Amino acid sequence: MKKIIFLLFIIVIFGFSYSKDKYINKSNAPKDITSQMTLVQVEYIDYNGKENLGLLVVNKKIEKEIIEIFKEIKESGFQIEKMIPISEYDWDDDKSMEDNNTSGYNYRFVANTTKLSNHSFGMAIDINPRYNPMIVKDKIYPPNGSYSKENKGTIVADSPVVKVFKKRGWTWGGDYKTIKDFQHFEKVIKK
């Protein structure tokens, strides 16, 4: 709890202006996309069972919903190793996944395509990616990933995390037919 209070104090004293520049504007995304992003603080239970404060960059349209979702996830006791904006990994999704970092916004293409990922629009969240990897045929991403119910923070179909997202209309990558992307949740907002 002291750590959360200290982090809140730092954020209040120094403000979000530097953070927004560092965590959002330094990406290579066009201004019409970065202007839609916001930095959200959420509490979570870390792998040591302690309350912690994380930062997620998401689309402003889902800011309130993300706060509610992570409040419910925390209340369920589900553990998250860390939650740092992906800019801390030089916008490198692979580095962030290998470090088991939970993240949202990242202006990038879907792997091996020219299609922008929903992360590019701040409409997707990856949770504990090392222990909830993407599995395509016989390949695991990240390469150091391991999917086992024995791992802390593993997401399974009946997990509270899946229920919390789905009840708000999100899609879970664990339900995909041709691949399994256990870390991935995304929301499509109808226009």
Side-chain angles (χ1 to χ4, degrees):
M1 189 63 171
K2 288 179 185 177
K3 190 175 186 180
I4 290 172
I5 292 170
F6 176 73
L7 286 170
L8 287 171
F9 173 76
I10 295 295
I11 289 168
V12 167
I13 295 298
F14 295 106
F16 279 115
S17 60
Y18 170 73
S19 299
K20 180 164 177 151
D21 187 54
K22 179 179 180 180
Y23 298 137
I24 300 170
N25 296 336
K26 296 276 183 184
S27 72
N28 61 353
K31 180 88 172 132
D32 66 320
I33 288 181
T34 59
S35 66
Q36 296 177 44
M37 300 306 130
T38 189
L39 185 63
V40 179
Q41 303 169 67
V42 296
E43 291 183 25
Y44 66 95
I45 305 295
D46 68 19
Y47 275 14
N48 295 316
K50 305 240 191 263
E51 289 186 3
N52 216 318
L53 186 66
L55 295 174
L56 283 173
V57 177
V58 297
N59 194 296
K60 291 175 185 174
K61 293 176 185 173
I62 60 169
E63 176 180 9
K64 183 178 179 218
E65 190 170 319
I66 287 296
I67 292 167
E68 292 169 358
I69 285 170
F70 279 91
K71 182 176 187 250
E72 285 188 50
I73 289 171
K74 179 185 169 231
E75 289 170 354
S76 78
F78 181 84
Q79 294 178 311
I80 296 173
E81 185 166 4
K82 63 183 64 130
M83 193 180 305
I84 306 166
I86 204 157
S87 58
E88 294 297 319
Y89 297 88
D90 297 320
W91 305 99
D92 187 322
D93 189 47
D94 293 331
K95 287 180 187 174
S96 179
M97 286 192 307
E98 288 171 5
D99 198 33
N100 207 30
N101 180 51
T102 295
S103 65
Y105 168 72
N106 185 12
Y107 188 74
R108 64 177 178 79
F109 295 104
V110 174
N112 304 315
T113 75
T114 56
K115 178 184 177 204
L116 284 174
S117 164
N118 278 343
H119 288 282
S120 297
F121 306 103
M123 301 297 284
I125 305 285
D126 288 343
I127 299 177
N128 294 335
R130 184 171 175 199
Y131 298 120
N132 296 295
M134 180 172 68
I135 301 172
V136 182
K137 296 181 184 175
D138 59 345
K139 299 237 187 236
I140 294 178
Y141 304 95
N144 68 342
S146 168
Y147 188 68
S148 168
K149 290 180 184 178
E150 283 71 46
N151 292 333
K152 285 183 183 179
T154 297
I155 300 169
V156 295
D158 63 349
S159 146
V161 176
V162 174
K163 292 175 184 173
V164 166
F165 276 100
K166 281 186 171 183
K167 81 178 179 182
R168 290 177 173 85
W170 288 65
T171 302
W172 176 48
D175 289 334
Y176 295 166
K177 302 293 181 217
T178 57
I179 67 166
K180 294 296 178 189
D181 196 358
F182 296 108
Q183 65 195 272
H184 186 78
F185 293 88
E186 66 181 29
K187 177 124 189 205
V188 175
I189 295 179
K190 308 272 191 242
K191 294 182 183 181

